[in-house]
Amino acid sequence: MKFKRCLALLLMAVILGSLLAGCASETDISSLAGFTMPEQLKTIKSGTVAENDRVCLSWDLDTSSLRLEDKLTGEIWSTIPYGYLQGEAAGSNYVKNGLRSSLYITYEDGEKHVEMENNSFRHAQYIAAQKIEGGVQLTYYFSNAEISVPVKYTLEEDGMSATVDVKNITEGKYKILSVSLLPFFCSAENSAENYLFVPSGSGALMMTDDAERSTRRYSEPVYGVDASETPVFSNTARNTVRLPVFGAKNGRNAMLAMITSGAEMATVNAVAGDEQYGYSAAYATFALRGLATTYTGNSWGGSNTVKQYTADVVNVDPSVRYVLLEKKDADYNEMAAAYRAYLRKTAGLKEGVETPDLMLTVLGGVPVRELFMGVPYETMSVMTSLAEAQNILSDLKTKTDASMVVNLKGYGSTGLEAGMLGGGFEVDSAFGGQEALDDLTAWCESNQVSSFLDYDLVCYRESGNGFSVRDSAITAAMIRAKYYDYDIVTHQQTGEAMYLANRYTMAKSAQKVAGLAKEQGTTGAGISTLSNMAYSDYHSRNYYCKAHMSDDVQRMIDALKAAGLQTFGTQANDYAAVKLDYIYDTPMESSGFFALDMDIPFYQMVFRGSVGLSGGAINLAQDPRTEFLKTIATGSSLGYTLCGSAERDVLLGKHSAVGSSIYSGLSPQIIEYTKQAQPLLDQIRGAAIVSYEKNGNVSRTEFDNGVVLYVNYGLTPVRTELGTLEALSFRFQ
């Protein structure tokens, strides 16, 4: 044991060195050069600027627009919608400012603290085009704002990339805050047959019709709202953006846009069905300066907001790659296939990864306050001891022979509450301690069940085990970043604030997990919060606007894998998803905004067959049968959250949902649903989804091994190519 611990310590030191060595370094540019208009205004003439066998990129001086021709389909995509250019290219100022602008910027008057927006058609006094290798650079001179923005447009094998050259932006009396790239390049004519794809939650479509509905607008930040910001109110039940992609289907052609740099700083926007424009479009906006928002009370009992931006800009060049889809009549299925292929090529996304039958979360306990002779003290309310967890797993294995993965959650010193970072990194004695964990992991190994302890490497409330709250991230206002839970009814902050670990502390905590998890005997380490939270840390300009979160998280997962551990996340962002072995609770629906017309399982279409996926916890859903069918429709593992028992104080607190997790009451359903799902899962263990469609209450999923699956969510039988499908059931062949 002594040798084993020494070996673990040596491994920890090596891993920490690799983690910290990989941290992003500061660049020499911390502030932008002063704005000046060039003495000689020169620009290249109209014509082709880059070309390959598939696509041709050309510049049009008269309209200051770029055109990308797909030689395969003959389709022309333009930074000003091509159909509009072929007409009179006229309309109101509102239409011209929208359709004819290839760049929007926002900026701040530092003295008046007023935010303003400019568009390139109306406000860019001059747009200079300069030939560069593989494309063209356009520099937009907003003389009234005293800001210039260079953007490089370069040809790709199947499309084009647009990259903002941040370090060469210039500014004068105003400070640039954000840029929006090519707002009408990824666009579709308004029509009931066309649509936009946006990455809300699992994914969603926005139809582009304008005849009977008013304009719909959508906007969500990639990877969610910056967790270091602490709004007074926040929605607790909204899915967020996990993938930095968007797209448009226009007639028989389609385009997918992928944010390839600066995704953490991005917001995906879309406008659909604007009758004046005649076109619908999706685009990305990138924050270039960090923001601190202060809330102050007013005499009406409400709050005012005061915004404070950083003096420096980010050190990341935002970039979007626009891919022209090859297939005629391409749709969101081809968009998902294109993104999956991109991740395989650039991020090593795996293939043929088998999906288990069950992915279970077993809840340990919650600290509660008790009285002893009138003196309050804190004790652990144990919901599931490690011995009870083994009994639950053994019972399920005996009755179903299911392949299983188990997440042991809340087994640290503060249970399900955020106490010390990583829950103290050791199993609390109240659950049986290391000896009971050894027994459980030995049973798991002999029964081929992967077991994980879930470590929160992001949120913590108290110092301990070498990690101090003084090591937390800081906001743009130079105060410690705090994170709150929010009430499900009032949406107000509730409970005690949690601190967010700074990037160095996160790396150090990953090193500790790598050294201890193997010694503890589990198959691997769960990093739920680390996989799905993105936030800023203004200790360094590297981390303004959530920047480089993806790089840091990927290094940590690599370090855990180097220590021989498997990893899982929960609702993982794409940069974590490509590295993980399992993903719990994958998003099964969008955020539900009124602008969205149809949910699609785009997330599962990208990752199914490349990582083990579960649907949402069936027992915690409002309608368990529907949640089960959603899980089936994507060929995902059945997800359940379980515990042995729950005391009254726990049920009356914020963990009231555990009342729906007690295994004794759930076991008949789990056994029945598992037996229903196993024949399907046996046929598609490592298969990817090649197509998904839903008409009315019936969905059809096809996998790359030829299996076709129908699911009927309705209350009446329906006819399918596989025969009559009863209500609330599924069939495959």
Side-chain angles (χ1 to χ4, degrees):
M1 179 62 73
K2 191 172 182 181
F3 172 76
K4 191 175 182 181
R5 181 170 290 275
C6 290
L7 187 61
L9 291 173
L10 177 61
L11 177 63
M12 289 164 65
V14 172
I15 291 171
L16 181 62
S18 65
L19 283 169
L20 298 181
C23 289
S25 59
E26 297 276 8
T27 63
D28 295 330
I29 305 297
S30 61
S31 59
L32 300 175
F35 173 83
T36 56
M37 285 290 291
E39 294 182 4
Q40 291 184 317
L41 300 178
K42 293 183 177 180
T43 189
I44 60 174
K45 296 180 180 180
S46 300
T48 299
V49 293
E51 186 174 10
N52 60 32
D53 292 340
R54 169 74 190 279
V55 286
C56 176
L57 178 63
S58 60
W59 158 250
D60 183 66
L61 178 61
D62 293 336
T63 58
S64 296
S65 65
L66 292 167
R67 298 177 189 178
L68 187 65
E69 180 181 358
D70 188 341
K71 297 179 180 180
L72 192 65
T73 65
E75 180 77 358
I76 295 177
W77 299 80
S78 175
T79 55
I80 303 174
Y82 191 61
Y84 170 78
L85 281 176
Q86 287 181 307
E88 296 181 0
S92 65
N93 287 333
Y94 170 79
V95 172
K96 291 178 182 178
N97 291 339
L99 298 186
R100 301 191 64 166
S101 294
S102 56
L103 195 77
Y104 301 156
I105 65 168
T106 62
Y107 57 95
E108 182 195 38
D109 182 332
E111 295 180 358
K112 298 179 180 179
H113 296 287
V114 176
E115 294 180 17
M116 293 166 280
E117 182 178 85
N118 274 187
N119 64 73
S120 61
F121 173 75
R122 180 180 178 185
H123 301 102
Q125 181 182 357
Y126 189 70
I127 301 176
Q130 177 185 356
K131 183 72 174 69
I132 60 174
E133 184 177 355
V136 62
Q137 175 175 297
L138 302 186
T139 303
Y140 302 83
Y141 291 93
F142 298 89
S143 57
N144 291 336
E146 295 188 359
I147 291 171
S148 72
V149 182
V151 182
K152 298 177 180 179
Y153 300 95
T154 54
L155 199 68
E156 301 285 352
E157 60 182 355
D158 51 6
M160 178 186 79
S161 285
T163 305
V164 181
D165 185 1
V166 171
K167 65 181 177 298
N168 286 314
I169 292 175
T170 67
E171 59 184 12
K173 59 183 177 181
Y174 298 130
K175 293 163 57 175
I176 190 168
L177 304 179
S178 72
V179 296
S180 298
L181 281 174
L182 303 183
F184 275 90
F185 186 52
C186 184
S187 65
E189 292 186 49
N190 288 352
S191 164
E193 286 71 43
N194 294 338
Y195 56 75
L196 306 176
F197 158 67
V198 293
S200 180
S202 62
L205 305 181
M206 297 172 65
M207 308 310 294
T208 65
D209 58 293
D210 60 13
E212 299 179 2
R213 296 191 291 171
S214 59
T215 305
R216 286 87 64 199
R217 297 185 184 276
Y218 164 86
S219 181
E220 283 192 277
V222 177
Y223 308 138
V225 174
D226 190 335
S228 69
E229 298 178 7
T230 54
V232 176
F233 299 94
S234 180
N235 194 327
T236 59
R238 192 180 78 189
N239 281 310
T240 191
V241 172
R242 301 295 177 194
L243 310 177
V245 293
F246 53 92
K249 175 175 172 56
N250 186 37
R252 300 189 66 187
N253 299 285
M255 170 188 287
L256 174 69
M258 305 179 295
I259 303 172
T260 54
S261 176
E264 299 96 328
M265 304 145 44
T267 296
V268 174
N269 306 293
V271 55
D274 188 316
E275 188 176 8
Q276 294 186 69
Y277 284 147
Y279 290 84
S280 301
Y283 63 96
T285 296
F286 296 91
L288 299 184
R289 275 190 160 89
L291 168 66
T293 304
T294 303
Y295 300 90
T296 60
N298 58 38
S299 56
W300 295 279
S303 63
N304 297 323
T305 58
V306 179
K307 294 183 178 181
Q308 177 184 343
Y309 289 94
T310 57
D312 298 334
V313 293
V314 297
N315 70 346
V316 177
D317 289 343
S319 186
V320 181
R321 180 174 176 176
Y322 302 88
V323 177
L324 307 185
L325 301 182
E326 183 174 327
K327 184 180 176 182
K328 278 287 188 182
D329 291 323
D331 58 12
Y332 59 83
N333 290 294
E334 282 68 45
M335 294 181 195
Y339 192 51
R340 185 168 62 244
Y342 172 79
L343 292 178
R344 285 176 177 169
K345 182 177 180 180
T346 63
L349 186 67
K350 299 180 288 293
E351 298 181 62
V353 174
E354 295 195 354
T355 295
D357 297 324
L358 290 170
M359 289 176 62
L360 307 172
T361 297
V362 178
L363 304 177
V366 177
V368 295
R369 297 187 70 80
E370 302 281 1
L371 292 174
F372 177 73
M373 299 181 65
V375 179
Y377 70 98
E378 192 172 82
T379 186
M380 184 70 71
S381 176
V382 175
M383 293 186 288
T384 321
S385 69
L386 290 165
E388 289 175 314
Q390 182 175 331
N391 290 337
I392 289 172
L393 298 176
S394 179
D395 186 59
L396 284 173
K397 191 71 175 177
T398 299
K399 294 176 179 177
T400 66
D401 194 29
S403 53
M404 292 186 288
V405 176
V406 59
N407 162 27
L408 302 170
K409 187 176 181 67
Y411 280 84
S413 60
T414 53
L416 295 174
E417 299 293 335
M420 288 184 289
L421 195 65
F425 298 98
E426 293 185 358
V427 173
D428 193 83
S429 60
F431 304 108
Q434 184 62 44
E435 184 176 351
L437 181 61
D438 289 342
D439 290 341
L440 173 59
T441 55
W443 180 91
C444 287
E445 185 175 356
S446 64
N447 287 275
Q448 297 181 314
V449 173
S450 296
S451 62
F452 297 82
L453 284 168
D454 196 3
Y455 300 92
D456 189 339
L457 305 184
V458 174
C459 301
Y460 62 122
R461 289 196 174 106
E462 58 191 67
S463 302
N465 272 347
F467 298 93
S468 170
V469 295
R470 291 176 295 179
D471 298 326
S472 62
I474 59 175
T475 70
M478 298 295 115
I479 60 176
R480 288 180 194 164
K482 295 180 180 179
Y483 182 73
Y484 291 88
D485 289 325
Y486 290 85
D487 187 270
I488 194 171
V489 177
T490 66
H491 306 307
Q492 291 180 311
Q493 294 174 355
T494 183
E496 186 182 351
M498 294 171 275
Y499 296 97
L500 299 171
N502 65 32
R503 301 300 176 87
Y504 176 87
T505 299
M506 282 167 49
K508 188 178 175 184
S509 66
Q511 161 232 8
K512 192 171 185 73
V513 170
L516 288 176
K518 201 68 175 177
E519 186 176 333
Q520 289 172 335
T522 54
T523 307
I527 51 170
S528 292
T529 49
L530 188 66
S531 71
N532 63 36
M533 287 181 67
Y535 58 93
S536 306
D537 181 4
Y538 290 89
H539 279 105
S540 166
R541 193 165 63 91
N542 289 316
Y543 308 130
Y544 285 12
C545 307
K546 303 186 290 185
H548 294 298
M549 191 79 189
S550 57
D551 299 328
D552 290 346
V553 170
Q554 287 194 339
R555 276 192 292 271
M556 292 175 201
I557 295 174
D558 285 341
L560 294 171
K561 287 184 173 294
L565 299 171
Q566 292 187 0
T567 55
F568 85 79
T570 301
Q571 291 208 1
N573 296 332
D574 70 323
Y575 53 78
V578 297
K579 298 276 187 178
L580 296 170
D581 296 290
Y582 301 97
I583 304 173
Y584 276 76
D585 195 21
T586 57
M588 304 299 286
E589 56 191 17
S590 71
S591 59
F593 287 145
F594 79 95
L596 307 177
D597 293 306
M598 176 182 170
D599 291 354
I600 58 173
F602 194 92
Y603 188 99
Q604 290 80 5
M605 293 164 72
V606 171
F607 292 115
R608 213 274 173 202
S610 297
V611 54
L613 306 177
S614 84
I618 293 172
N619 58 300
L620 300 183
Q622 288 184 335
D623 185 343
R625 183 64 184 180
T626 299
E627 190 71 23
F628 168 71
L629 291 175
K630 285 182 179 180
T631 301
I632 288 294
T634 57
S636 300
S637 302
L638 306 189
Y640 277 94
T641 296
L642 306 174
C643 65
S645 62
E647 295 181 349
R648 181 175 179 273
D649 288 347
V650 175
L651 294 174
L652 294 177
K654 69 177 184 179
H655 299 288
S656 58
V658 301
S660 302
S661 302
I662 298 174
Y663 177 69
S664 59
L666 282 173
S667 60
Q669 182 195 92
I670 301 173
I671 293 165
E672 175 59 27
Y673 279 3
T674 302
K675 289 181 177 179
Q676 289 182 31
Q678 280 176 317
L680 169 67
L681 295 176
D682 284 341
Q683 293 296 314
I684 58 170
R685 288 291 176 196
I689 298 172
V690 294
S691 71
Y692 172 91
E693 58 182 298
K694 187 177 181 185
N695 293 308
N697 291 322
V698 179
S699 67
R700 181 186 187 276
T701 311
E702 184 175 347
F703 299 87
D704 64 1
N705 64 354
V707 173
V708 175
L709 164 69
Y710 280 89
V711 176
N712 181 9
Y713 297 93
L715 300 178
T716 57
V718 294
R719 291 286 299 171
T720 73
E721 64 177 305
L722 302 184
T724 299
L725 189 57
E726 297 300 323
L728 300 175
S729 68
F730 66 93
R731 180 176 291 184
F732 67 94
Q733 180 176 300

